[in-house]
Amino acid sequence: MPLSGKALRLARLSRRGDGRYLFVPLDHSVSDGPIASGAGFRELVRSISEGGADAVVVHKGRARMIPPGLLTRTALVVHLSASTAHAPDVDAKVLVGDVEDAVRIGADAVSVHVNIGSPTEAAQLADLGAVASACDRWGMPLLAMIYPRGPRVEDPGQPELVSHVTGIAADLGADLVKTVLASPTSRMSEVVANSPLPVLVAGGGGSGRPLHQFASSALAAGCSGLAVGRRVFAGPSPRQTVRELAEIVHGRVLATEPTPPSHMAGVL
């Protein structure tokens, strides 16, 4: 890729320059409620950065509350979509920010959430396409958080369906895609092979599998990284959890699933 604003920002998203990504989404405060106190949030970001995360994902207002010194080694992704757990349709995501907001804040990327199979899928697809066009104008990388999710989706982990949604992200102009891990996990390699974009796997909070095992499986299947939020910030030691995840993402990718270390063995 020739030198450009987008190329420079994309390079910042992989802290070790290896094309691997560990993102920690912290946008849950809009959807679910507070995840930390005001001061506690800043310390949470500090722990995540010191643990070795490549980026944090927050909404535009929360981004302004992060001291700049905490983001010298960790990239900033501004999330542009929102819904709350109190809405009649929790899967109906709407845009609450734009690329220009992210540029003014100093973001390294933006993200948009799309639920394929939602009753409002059409509007969400239109939003993704519009944001992608704005990202091209501003040289801003776009992470599409795209999931099979809605009343017509019976098996969100079906490999063919996961491949379909990752392909939509590419077709509409995203640079990175975050989605679910296919089931069975062994078929996630098909999803990765079908995707022209780097694939990041969402944190797997509902999988029932220890986090270390979940993460190792995703990387062994060829995924380019992880986006783990709740299983980081709700755990007893976010810094240590991020450090161990960073070793999985940026270190040696294991072909088999090793016994998890004592700290992560019980993390669900």
Side-chain angles (χ1 to χ4, degrees), residues 159-172:
E160 293 81 4
L161 186 52
V162 181
S163 286
H164 186 183
V165 302
T166 57
I168 291 170
D171 289 335
L172 296 191

Side-chain angles (χ1 to χ4, degrees), residues 11 25 32-33 57 81 87 100 116 143 182 186 195 199 208 241 268:
D32 301 323
V57 183
S81 303
E100 290 86 346
I116 297 299
L143 167 66
S186 59
S195 175
V199 177
T241 300
L268 298 176

